[in-house]
């Protein structure tokens, strides 16, 4: 079945640095991917919609200059957390739909970011 | 996007059947109902999807009444490994609509 893979699964970075998280659809093409963040014991919060070949669409309250999204190919979207701060520490999850298989949404394994 | 309402948490015992109901009063004609399961530190995993009546797979059953304003996920003979958060989502098939998650139901299975 369809698989969405994220990398890295966990990362620790220093305050002020930037970190990139990759999201890949392994056996299907995804013109649209979604990025979520999730704090412990809370639900997933949609951050942005990643559109292949065009700018991402950000949800209200999400800083586009802080969370840079690039969707350069039909199988890869990246989320870069710039100038990371401890409050950016969270679980980041991406998702993509295989439109050839109805609208079943597949989620990546998630990436834990810890900013120290 | 149809808003969904689920119980915040539920407890049950191993071997029992668990039913989690989701309300979606403003579901649209083209909307499908999908349930996901999430374990700690993992992305959500697809469980089942349906449009009306009943759908069954190897993991669960999904019951949808005629008015489609609610749906019930049924997990037969749960085990400790079914402890997870379950999300009910409503959306359109074959379209890349963004999905807004509700709070989900935290299911705790006791021995």
């Amino acid at each position: 079945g369809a698989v969405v893979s994220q990398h890295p699964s966990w990362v620790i970075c220093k305050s002020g640095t930037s970190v990139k998280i990759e999201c890949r659809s392994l056996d299907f093409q995804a013109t649209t991917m979604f990025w979520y963040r999730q704090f412990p014991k809370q639900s997933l919060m949609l951050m942005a919609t990643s559109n292949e070949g065009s700018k991402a669409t950000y949800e209200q309250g999400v800083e586009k200059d802080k969370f840079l999204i690039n969707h350069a190919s039909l199988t890869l979207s990246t989320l870069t957390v710039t100038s990371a701060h401890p409050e950016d520490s969270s679980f980041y999850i991406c998702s993509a739909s295989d439109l050839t298989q109805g609208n079943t949404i597949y989620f990546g394994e998630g990436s834990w970011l810890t900013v120290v | 996007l149809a808003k969904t309402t689920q119980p915040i948490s539920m407890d049950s015992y191993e071997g029992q059947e668990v039913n989690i109901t989701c309300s979606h009063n403003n579901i649209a004609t083209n909307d499908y109902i999908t349930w996901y399961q999430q374990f700690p530190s993992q992305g959500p995993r697809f469980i089942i999807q349906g449009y009306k009546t009943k759908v069954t797979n190897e993991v669960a059953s999904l019951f949808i009444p005629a008015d489609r304003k609610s749906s019930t996920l049924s997990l037969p003979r749960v085990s400790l490994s079914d402890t997870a958060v379950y999300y009910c989502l409503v959306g359109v098939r074959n379209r890349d609509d963004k999905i807004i998650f509700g709070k989900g139901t935290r299911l705790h299975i006791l021995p």
Side-chain angles (χ1 to χ4, degrees), chain A residues 31-32 34 36 38 41 43-44 46 59 91 93 97 99 102-105 107-109 112, chain B residues 36 38 41-44 46 49 87 92-103 106:
Chain A
T31 55
T32 304
F34 301 93
Y36 297 82
Q38 185 176 34
K41 295 192 182 300
S43 184
L44 285 76
L46 180 66
E59 295 299 302
F91 191 52
I93 306 170
S97 294
L99 297 184
N103 195 30
T104 301
I105 303 168
F107 290 85
E109 311 94 323
W112 270 110
Chain B
Y36 286 84
Q38 186 183 27
S41 298
Q42 294 185 26
F46 172 86
Q49 183 180 74
Y87 294 97
V92 180
R93 277 167 66 97
N94 299 320
R95 208 165 78 187
D96 277 331
D97 281 346
K98 61 184 181 182
I99 298 296
I100 305 297
F101 278 77
K103 297 186 185 300
R106 191 171 297 273

Side-chain angles (χ1 to χ4, degrees), chain A residues 7 10 26 66 74 82 84 100 105 114:
Chain A
H7 178 81
W10 61 270
L26 295 185
K66 179 167 188 61
L74 287 171
T82 63
T100 65
I105 303 168
T114 301

Side-chain angles (χ1 to χ4, degrees), chain B:
Chain B
L1 298 169
K3 181 181 176 182
T4 59
T5 303
Q6 305 172 229
I8 293 296
S9 65
M10 293 179 65
D11 289 342
S12 188
Y13 291 92
E14 279 192 295
Q16 300 289 311
E17 177 184 82
V18 172
N19 296 309
I20 306 174
T21 297
C22 177
S23 297
H24 27 80
N25 290 317
N26 60 340
I27 188 170
T29 303
N30 294 333
D31 283 345
Y32 278 71
I33 300 153
T34 312
W35 285 79
Y36 286 84
Q37 175 192 55
Q38 186 183 27
F39 296 113
S41 298
Q42 294 185 26
R45 183 176 71 110
F46 172 86
I47 300 176
I48 197 167
Q49 183 180 74
Y51 183 80
K52 62 180 180 180
T53 63
K54 177 183 175 182
V55 180
T56 297
N57 61 22
E58 64 277 9
V59 177
S61 294
L62 179 59
F63 298 92
I64 306 169
D67 66 6
R68 305 200 326 122
K69 293 183 183 299
S70 67
S71 58
T72 299
L73 174 72
S74 181
L75 304 172
R77 297 180 299 283
V78 293
S79 63
L80 296 176
S81 62
D82 292 315
T83 294
V85 180
Y86 292 82
Y87 294 97
C88 160
L89 302 177
V90 175
V92 180
R93 277 167 66 97
N94 299 320
R95 208 165 78 187
D96 277 331
D97 281 346
K98 61 184 181 182
I99 298 296
I100 305 297
F101 278 77
K103 297 186 185 300
T105 298
R106 191 171 297 273
L107 176 64
H108 187 202
I109 304 302
L110 303 167

Side-chain angles (χ1 to χ4, degrees), chain A residues 33-53:
Chain A
M33 292 184 176
F34 301 93
W35 285 96
Y36 297 82
R37 68 187 298 182
Q38 185 176 34
F39 293 108
K41 295 192 182 300
Q42 294 188 24
S43 184
L44 285 76
M45 184 192 79
L46 180 66
M47 298 176 66
T49 302
S50 174
N51 304 298
E52 189 269 333

Side-chain angles (χ1 to χ4, degrees), chain A residues 15-95:
Chain A
S15 289
T17 62
S18 296
V19 61
K20 180 185 291 186
I21 302 170
E22 294 183 345
C23 177
R24 295 182 184 274
S25 55
L26 295 185
D27 50 6
F28 66 97
Q29 295 182 332
T31 55
T32 304
M33 292 184 176
F34 301 93
W35 285 96
Y36 297 82
R37 68 187 298 182
Q38 185 176 34
F39 293 108
K41 295 192 182 300
Q42 294 188 24
S43 184
L44 285 76
M45 184 192 79
L46 180 66
M47 298 176 66
T49 302
S50 174
N51 304 298
E52 189 269 333
S54 64
K55 292 182 178 180
T57 306
Y58 291 82
E59 295 299 302
Q60 190 173 7
V62 178
E63 299 176 59
K64 63 180 181 180
D65 294 330
K66 179 167 188 61
F67 299 99
L68 300 179
I69 291 173
N70 185 282
H71 195 151
S73 77
L74 287 171
T75 59
L76 174 64
S77 173
T78 60
L79 169 69
T80 301
V81 182
T82 63
S83 186
H85 289 105
E87 57 264 31
D88 298 324
S89 298
S90 186
F91 191 52
Y92 292 88
I93 306 170
C94 70
S95 73

